[in-house]
Amino acid sequence: MAKQILIVYFTWSRNTRKIANLIHKEIGGTIFEIQPEVPYPSSYNEVVAQAKKEIQAGYKPPLKTKIDHIESYDIIFVGSPNWWSTIAPPVATFLSEYDLSGKTIVPFCTHGGGGMGRMISDIVKLCPKSTILEEFVIYGSGAGDAQAKVSQWLLKIGITQ
């Protein structure tokens, strides 16, 4: 039986959306953008300051939309920019609002120089009964070779053949 795939992501600068779309193009499934009820400011400096405060406080912003029938998905790709060495607060909200026990979580991350930071350990804390596969990490939007890198990673972790 084919595995049901969900690709969820939060994006501020559109980099994470680009990677989510590259994954979707390769494997299909359902794609879903995590959106907070109150959008983040468009100013980079303002969003950096707000994100720092939210992360330090452990704040999980309410989300605008929900996913119906999360239980029907087997594999959930979770994309986030690296904000202050961890997942963006809306991603933390998503991971804590659903019971992902028994699901396979496949993290992917865009960053501006910080790599994954502590994103994996924070995902593990929020999804202790999930299987976490090897993450995909890319600087910015990955420039021209992002599709090739995504393809190599999907092959390496056994999603594609």
Side-chain angles (χ1 to χ4, degrees), residues 64-86:
K64 189 192 281 190
T65 53
K66 306 283 185 221
I67 293 181
D68 294 326
H69 309 295
I70 193 94
E71 67 281 355
S72 66
Y73 295 100
D74 306 296
I75 300 172
I76 302 174
F77 285 76
V78 178
S80 178
N82 174 331
W83 280 7
W84 295 100
S85 295
T86 191

Side-chain angles (χ1 to χ4, degrees), residues 80-87 108-120 135-140:
S80 178
N82 174 331
W83 280 7
W84 295 100
S85 295
T86 191
I87 53 178
F108 62 101
C109 153
T110 56
H111 67 90
M116 281 298 284
R118 65 175 191 277
M119 294 172 87
I120 297 301
E135 70 279 358
F136 178 75
V137 186
I138 196 161
Y139 180 82

